[in-house]
């Protein structure tokens, strides 16, 4: 599958690979310094009670970011049969 | 033997750097601020193998850009102070991300030693890190450590001393390739920089070139002052930036970050980490816990429970030691009163200094306990979850998830203190949201406002104390959030700070860490009570004492007293006479107060304050409240001729107010609103000024008072029309 989608649209427990980060300035820098760069594997592990922000697992740690910040990140979902169960 | 060696301790937040610093220095540490900024500077000393080590704990950062004060402070310290060695503490469990900072230190060229910390967790997860291989690939010493137990401490110190000794202050910058788009221009810039000796006394040439490509404001500013080459470098950087935008749709600084991470992952791919995927990992346990702790419904319920428990525990535990401190100052006041002759000096020492400072210091046990409990919550990782859960709500009002702690400490659940609350706003890295937070946190019902509310509730809303407090707290939150929103729409406009934040795995806090953390914050509070409050206590005392009653009036009271005394000598009946004497004393105190500077001010303000339902006596109390809210109840006691009123025992004052025709439930409501919202106390103002600027602190004083008076007046006038 070569379709890339916004990070916001990932389901919980879905894995994906980052394709591009379209953010500049401080937000872009903060996103990148935490390791959200193209090629990194991520997984959505949860959402806050009001569905925003979102918690991600990447590079062996957990990161949170808001939905509108996640919109700057394009990902390519990876289908995994074992991970599909909630 | 006595040559001092400076170690800088650096690393990511949550890497265990502070635990490490505490393990190395123990109690021999000193906290101050870096000059001109509100970033804490911690230093400590340590004797090791006959050498004197000076250890500086740099602020925790993820990078070395110019975007945050912390990063600038860390960078400037390294460049200006040139420590003999930099120890970078890494969370070995998230090695890849932690190496991002390490690589930047290496590009700067500082003498670096890596401490792979939290190795116990890594081992438990069945992972192995080939430290030797990592060390030879990076070309810097790498030591495995567990800061919580002190494991690897000595080995690290040895490696660091050895490394410092071998390098003797030489810097060896690392060169990373930034790909075909940036490498040519980097080389060109580097050659120019070297030829012109542009800032080369401070930074390696390639590093300066990189910073121009990253559009680093600080370096550009320094360059502009230093040399004409700066213009040319800026042009080159702008040209390559345009090129990247048009051909690759990206910016040089994102290419730089991508290549840095690429460099790190290519290193780690060379058999540095071995994983055993079958083992249960701490991260997974944390994930399981988060499924409950940040659950849609359970999460908020647990949060309310934790907050309620926090305050319940604080007040239960704090009551007894608070009593001790109060009785100590009571005893001190009596002793001083007995030792000193009647007169102005005694009045100054007892009513001014001991009562004033004692009132503030009696809050110390409470504040220390709050801080211990908050440190536990912080170190365990729960505070980060609270910010995560509440961010959506706070963002609506132009604040940030991390604003929740300053609000709660300030009294968001009745009974905090705005001083530590505002200091806690440091955790907010964005200046705009921090400013909005610290300007609105003082609306919360802090521990000093509560006696006023309880006294008024007892007088006019009997048996409804609890619900009055509930509505006051709710009103405070509403006002804080609304005012924050208004400020963010007008005076502090600007984009919200990203919520890109690490959620650290849950960890058991260490006793040592919690105690040191809590002590630092408590000590800051005590120090302020000892300086600012002392001066203010004297000032208020003077305003309420001078000018003193003219001779003929004191003589009048004196003759009244003499009449009672002669009657007392003549008859056996005593209790009525003693009451009569006390009544004369009280009347004299009231007359003296009205005659004093504060009394005249209160009387002068009466025409205005009557709009909100306050008479001259209330005015004096409220003026005193500008300095400290603790003063309000005791001053009203004096103004209503009651003599001394203990803020804990306000029953008599409540009765008195209920009988007084100038008071009504409406006036009480108006006063509650005013006391809740008006100018923060003076210590808070000083701390606000330190955390932002005197301009903003004085703004808070004026704006909050106008807002409070406006609202109180509106409620009082509308209420009168309706009744």
């Amino acid at each position: 599958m070569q379709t890339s989608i916004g990070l916001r649209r990932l389901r919980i427990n879905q894995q994906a690979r980052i394709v591009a980060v379209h953010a500049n300035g401080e937000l872009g820098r903060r996103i990148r310094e935490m390791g959200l760069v193209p090629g990194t594997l991520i997984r959505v592990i949860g959402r806050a009670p009001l569905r925003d922000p979102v918690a991600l697992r990447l590079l062996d740690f957990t990161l949170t970011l808001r939905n509108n910040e996640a919109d700057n990140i394009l990902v390519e979902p990876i289908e995994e049969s074992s991970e599909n169960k909630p | 033997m006595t040559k001092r060696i400076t170690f800088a301790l650096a690393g990511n937040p949550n890497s265990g750097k502070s635990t490490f610093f505490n393990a190395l220095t123990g109690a021999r540490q000193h906290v101050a601020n870096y000059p001109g900024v509100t970033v804490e500077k911690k230093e400590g000393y340590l004797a090791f193998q006959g050498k004197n080590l000076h250890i500086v704990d740099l602020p925790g950062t993820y990078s070395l850009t110019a975007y945050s004060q912390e990063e600038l402070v860390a960078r400037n310290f390294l460049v200006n102070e040139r420590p003999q060695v930099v120890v970078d503490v890494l969370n070995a469990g998230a090695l890849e991300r932690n190496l991002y900072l390490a690589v930047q230190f290496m590009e700067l060229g500082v003498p670096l030693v890596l401490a792979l910390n939290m190795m116990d967790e890594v081992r438990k997860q069945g992972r192995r890190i080939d430290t030797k291989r990592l060390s030879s690939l990076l070309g810097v010493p790498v030591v495995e450590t567990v800061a919580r137990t002190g494991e690897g401490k000595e080995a690290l110190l040895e490696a660091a001393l050895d490394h410092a000794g071998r390098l003797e202050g030489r810097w060896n910058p690392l060169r990373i390739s930034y790909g075909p788009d940036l490498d040519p221009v980097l080389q060109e810039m580097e050659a120019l920089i070297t030829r012109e000796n542009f800032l080369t006394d401070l930074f390696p040439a390639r590093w300066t070139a990189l910073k121009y490509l990253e559009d680093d404001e600080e370096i550009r500013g320094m360059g502009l002052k230093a040399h004409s080459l700066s213009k040319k470098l800026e042009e080159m950087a702008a040209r390559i930036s345009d090129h990247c935008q048009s051909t690759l749709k990206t910016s040089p600084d994102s290419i730089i970050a991508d290549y840095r991470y690429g460099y790190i992952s290519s290193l780690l791919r060379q058999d540095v980490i071995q994983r055993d995927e079958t083992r249960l990992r701490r991260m997974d346990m944390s994930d399981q816990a988060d499924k409950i702790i940040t659950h849609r419904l359970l999460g908020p319920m647990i949060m309310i429970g934790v907050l309620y428990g926090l305050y319940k525990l604080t007040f239960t535990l704090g009551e007894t030691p608070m009593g001790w401190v109060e009785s100590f100052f009571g005893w001190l006041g009596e002793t001083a009163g007995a030792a000193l002759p009647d007169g102005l000096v005694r009045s100054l020492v007892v009513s001014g200094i001991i009562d004033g400072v004692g009132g503030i210091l009696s809050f110390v046990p409470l504040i220390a306990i709050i801080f211990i409990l908050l440190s536990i919550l912080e170190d365990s990782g729960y505070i980060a979850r609270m910010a995560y859960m509440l961010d959506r709500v706070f963002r609506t009002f132009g604040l940030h998830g991390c604003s929740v702690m300053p609000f709660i400490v300030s009294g968001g659940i009745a009974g905090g203190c705005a001083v530590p609350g505002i200091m806690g706003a440091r955790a907010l890295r964005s200046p705009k949201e921090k400013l909005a937070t610290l300007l609105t946190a003082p609306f919360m019902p802090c521990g000093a406002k509560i006696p006023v509310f309880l006294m008024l509730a007892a007088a006019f809303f009997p048996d409804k104390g609890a619900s009055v407090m509930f509505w006051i707290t709710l009103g405070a939150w509403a006002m804080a959030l609304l005012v924050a929103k208004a400020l963010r729409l007008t005076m502090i406009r600007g984009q919200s700070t990203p919520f890109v934040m690490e959620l650290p795995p849950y960890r058991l806090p260490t006793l040592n860490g919690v105690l040191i953390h809590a002590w630092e914050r408590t000590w800051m509070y005590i120090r302020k009570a000892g300086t600012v409050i002392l001066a203010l206590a004297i000032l208020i005392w003077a305003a309420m004492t001078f000018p003193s009653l003219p001779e003929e009036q004191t003589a009048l009271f004196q003759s009244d007293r003499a009449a009672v005394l002669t009657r007392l000598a003549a008859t056996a009946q005593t209790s009525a006479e003693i009451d009569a004497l006390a009544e004369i004393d009280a009347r004299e105190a009231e007359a003296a107060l009205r005659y004093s500077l504060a009394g005249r001010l209160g009387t002068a303000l009466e025409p205005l304050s009557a709009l909100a339902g306050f008479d001259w006596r209330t005015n004096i109390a409220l003026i005193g409240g500008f300095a400290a809210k603790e003063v309000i109840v005791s001053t009203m006691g004096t103004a209503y001729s009651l003599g001394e009123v203990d803020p804990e025992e306000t029953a008599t004052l409540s009765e008195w107010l209920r009988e007084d025709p100038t008071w009504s439930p409406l006036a009480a409501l108006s006063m509650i609103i005013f006391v809740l919202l008006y100018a923060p106390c003076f210590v808070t103002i000083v701390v606000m000024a330190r955390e932002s600027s005197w301009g903003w602190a004085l703004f808070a004083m004026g704006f909050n008072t106008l807002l409070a008076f406006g609202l109180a007046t509106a409620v009082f006038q509308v209420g009168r029309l309706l009744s």
Side-chain angles (χ1 to χ4, degrees):
Chain A
M1 280 235 299
Q2 284 303 314
T3 47
S4 49
I5 57 171
L7 199 157
R8 186 202 285 251
R9 291 171 55 200
L10 286 181
R11 278 169 283 122
I12 286 184
N13 272 328
Q14 197 175 13
Q15 264 214 328
R17 187 184 300 279
I18 295 179
V19 178
V21 178
H22 297 298
N24 291 314
E26 186 179 4
L27 175 64
R29 179 196 62 101
R30 288 211 190 206
I31 287 178
R32 289 185 192 95
E33 74 183 12
M34 298 303 269
L36 291 166
V37 294
T40 306
L41 281 178
I42 58 160
R43 185 164 58 87
V44 173
I45 59 164
R47 288 178 195 277
L50 293 170
R51 299 268 157 223
D52 188 16
V54 57
L56 302 177
R57 167 64 38 80
L58 73 150
L59 307 176
D60 298 314
F61 72 99
T62 309
L63 187 75
T64 63
L65 72 169
R66 292 171 179 157
N67 283 337
N68 59 2
E69 292 155 6
D71 287 341
N72 292 300
I73 301 170
L74 281 183
V75 297
E76 194 175 87
I78 299 167
E79 295 307 329
E80 263 178 301
S81 50
S82 62
E83 286 279 343
N84 276 348
K85 280 181 186 147
Chain B
M1 256 297 276
T2 52
K3 211 184 115 199
R4 210 169 78 168
I5 297 176
T6 302
F7 272 38
L9 210 55
N12 283 183
N14 305 309
S15 63
K17 190 168 64 69
S18 304
T19 315
F20 213 97
F21 180 72
N22 292 339
L24 286 177
T25 61
R28 284 154 297 166
Q29 43 176 279
H30 172 74
V31 190
N33 275 4
Y34 285 94
V37 291
T38 55
V39 178
E40 269 178 14
K41 180 182 189 178
K42 287 197 202 172
E43 297 173 87
Y45 295 91
L46 168 75
F48 183 74
Q49 292 183 345
K51 291 197 174 70
N52 223 339
L53 308 184
H54 171 214
I55 300 177
V56 179
D57 189 19
L58 297 178
T61 65
Y62 293 109
S63 190
L64 281 183
T65 60
Y67 278 94
S68 77
Q69 281 187 344
E70 284 80 7
E71 293 177 37
L72 272 178
V73 158
R75 198 164 90 179
N76 289 339
F77 181 85
L78 295 179
V79 171
N80 298 330
E81 310 289 325
R82 293 208 154 221
Q84 276 89 340
V85 65
V86 178
V87 175
D88 184 3
V89 182
L90 292 88
N91 172 359
L95 195 55
E96 200 162 344
R97 198 208 62 221
N98 278 258
L99 279 172
Y100 188 72
L101 179 66
V103 164
Q104 292 181 66
F105 284 132
M106 290 165 68
E107 288 187 282
L108 186 57
V110 296
L112 189 71
V113 175
L114 300 186
L116 292 194
N117 196 25
M118 305 189 179
M119 280 305 292
D120 52 340
E121 290 179 11
V122 173
R123 286 180 210 126
K124 239 185 265 167
Q125 291 158 16
R127 269 194 284 174
R128 286 211 352 254
I129 297 178
D130 191 337
T131 325
K132 280 215 186 80
R133 193 164 175 79
L134 183 66
S135 170
S136 73
L137 285 171
L138 287 170
V140 298
V142 181
V143 182
E144 298 187 6
T145 60
V146 181
R148 297 162 70 94
T149 61
E151 183 193 321
K153 195 169 91 177
E154 310 239 308
L156 178 77
L157 288 174
E158 267 170 40
L161 279 176
D162 179 59
H163 198 53
R166 250 181 308 117
L167 287 176
E168 289 174 328
R170 263 173 293 128
W171 284 23
N172 295 316
L174 167 77
R175 306 173 65 88
I176 298 178
S177 164
Y178 286 101
D181 292 288
L182 299 187
D183 270 348
V185 67
L186 265 175
Q187 225 144 46
E188 210 182 315
M189 290 168 101
E190 194 186 336
L192 282 173
I193 292 166
T194 316
R195 203 181 63 205
E196 303 285 341
N197 279 326
F198 177 74
L199 300 177
T200 42
D201 52 330
L202 295 174
F203 313 107
R206 191 181 171 84
W207 198 84
T208 309
L210 265 176
K211 289 294 147 185
Y212 268 91
L213 291 188
E214 285 180 333
D215 200 20
D216 186 295
E217 270 178 41
E218 164 107 345
I219 301 291
R220 266 184 15 212
M222 284 169 78
L224 218 51
K225 271 187 231 151
H227 202 285
S228 56
L229 182 59
S230 163
K231 276 265 177 292
K232 183 159 171 58
L233 293 174
E234 279 186 37
E235 278 165 26
M236 291 169 85
R239 214 178 316 130
I240 197 73
S241 172
D242 288 344
H243 170 78
C244 291
Q245 287 294 355
S246 60
T247 61
L248 305 162
K249 290 204 165 36
T250 181
S251 59
D253 66 329
S254 75
I255 296 178
I256 291 171
D258 295 354
Y259 270 87
R260 254 183 214 141
Y261 265 109
Y263 173 80
I264 293 164
S265 61
S266 74
L267 275 182
L268 294 182
R269 243 177 278 130
Q270 300 176 49
D271 293 329
V272 173
I273 305 184
Q274 282 175 3
R275 292 162 193 268
D276 175 0
E277 297 295 353
T278 56
R279 298 276 279 273
L280 188 67
R281 301 174 35 204
R282 178 179 286 269
M283 273 306 201
D284 299 324
M285 293 194 294
S286 255
D287 283 359
Q288 293 306 321
D290 269 334
K291 285 215 171 98
I292 297 164
I293 296 172
T294 66
H295 182 267
R296 282 202 76 178
L297 300 171
L298 288 175
M301 278 157 65
I302 293 172
M303 184 159 59
I304 291 169
V306 167
L307 293 176
Y308 182 75
L310 187 74
Y311 281 86
K312 199 79 190 148
L313 205 59
T314 306
F315 283 100
T316 318
L317 292 177
E319 217 168 359
T320 321
M322 216 171 145
W324 294 338
V325 178
E326 272 167 8
S327 28
F328 169 74
F329 278 98
W331 168 83
L332 198 66
E334 272 169 36
T335 317
L340 293 165
D342 195 6
L344 276 181
V345 176
R346 183 166 89 178
S347 161
L348 171 67
V349 171
V350 177
S351 315
I353 298 172
I354 295 178
D355 282 1
V357 175
I360 310 293
L361 287 184
S362 63
F363 279 91
V364 166
L366 217 59
I367 282 174
I369 292 168
I370 292 186
F371 282 151
I372 289 173
L373 296 176
L374 283 180
S375 296
I376 292 173
L377 283 185
E378 221 170 331
D379 293 356
S380 68
Y382 189 71
I383 298 283
R385 266 77 183 178
M386 280 178 60
Y388 167 64
M389 285 190 279
L390 284 170
D391 179 67
R392 190 67 194 83
V393 180
F394 278 76
R395 184 156 49 107
T396 311
F397 296 98
L399 297 168
H400 191 274
C402 296
S403 306
V404 65
M405 226 47 231
F407 276 6
I408 287 172
V409 177
S410 297
I413 287 186
C417 174
V419 173
I422 283 170
M423 293 193 292
R426 283 180 184 183
L428 285 152
R429 297 216 164 176
S430 129
K432 294 212 167 84
E433 278 141 348
K434 177 180 159 183
L435 191 56
T437 305
L438 63 85
L439 285 174
T440 48
F443 288 140
M444 295 300 166
C446 71
K449 294 178 189 170
I450 286 178
V452 185
F453 301 145
L454 292 180
M455 183 271 292
L456 290 170
F460 299 102
F461 313 101
D463 308 321
K464 293 208 187 87
S467 66
V468 167
M469 281 313 300
F470 174 78
W471 287 107
I472 287 173
T473 309
L474 215 62
W477 276 92
M479 283 313 293
L481 292 177
L482 289 175
V483 170
K485 182 72 182 170
L487 287 171
R488 293 281 280 132
L489 286 175
T490 55
M491 299 180 73
I492 325 176
R493 232 174 309 178
Q495 278 223 310
S496 60
T497 327
F499 194 72
V500 182
M501 193 184 80
E502 192 182 352
L503 277 190
Y506 290 104
R507 289 199 175 90
L508 208 63
T510 60
L511 182 68
N512 207 6
V514 167
L515 290 182
I516 288 177
H517 203 168
W519 167 248
E520 277 167 9
R521 293 171 170 186
T522 312
W523 178 237
M524 265 193 248
Y525 177 83
I526 296 175
R527 232 174 23 196
K528 257 142 222 161
T531 50
V532 182
I533 289 290
L534 181 66
L536 276 169
I538 295 172
L539 206 71
I540 294 174
W541 169 84
M544 288 173 62
T545 309
F546 298 111
S548 39
L549 277 180
E551 290 282 335
E552 61 269 25
Q553 287 209 40
T554 20
L556 228 62
F557 286 111
Q558 209 52 51
S559 64
D560 281 0
R561 227 175 256 134
V564 176
L565 281 173
T566 41
R567 247 188 302 151
L568 188 63
T571 62
Q573 202 187 18
T574 51
S575 63
E577 266 62 40
I578 287 170
D579 283 353
L581 274 179
E583 201 240 85
I584 293 167
D585 284 351
R587 268 195 294 131
E588 184 175 11
E590 184 193 338
L593 185 62
R594 185 156 198 168
Y595 196 79
S596 72
L597 190 65
R600 290 167 193 212
L601 202 58
T603 316
L605 283 172
E606 203 168 20
L608 186 66
S609 68
L611 291 173
F614 309 148
D615 70 352
W616 70 272
R617 303 170 227 247
T618 314
N619 286 351
I620 300 175
L622 293 175
I623 291 167
F626 271 94
K629 305 282 177 274
E630 287 87 345
V631 177
I632 297 176
V633 169
S634 59
T635 311
M636 283 184 87
T638 317
Y640 278 94
S641 302
L642 290 174
E644 287 270 302
V645 172
D646 184 347
E648 306 291 308
E649 307 251 346
T650 54
T652 35
L653 183 57
S654 294
E655 274 167 36
W656 199 277
L657 290 185
R658 198 168 26 217
E659 305 297 320
D660 192 306
T662 60
W663 277 88
S664 62
L666 191 59
L669 182 62
S670 166
M671 181 161 172
I672 287 175
I673 292 171
F674 189 81
V675 169
L676 183 66
L677 302 177
Y678 85 121
C681 71
F682 208 85
V683 195
T684 306
I685 295 279
V686 171
V687 179
M688 271 178 150
R690 215 166 282 176
E691 298 291 324
S692 56
S693 69
W694 272 105
W696 281 112
L698 295 175
F699 167 80
M701 207 162 138
F703 173 79
N704 291 10
T705 308
L706 284 177
L707 178 76
F709 187 70
L711 266 177
T713 306
V715 166
F716 189 70
Q717 295 300 337
V718 170
R720 266 215 316 205
L721 284 178
L722 292 179
S723 64

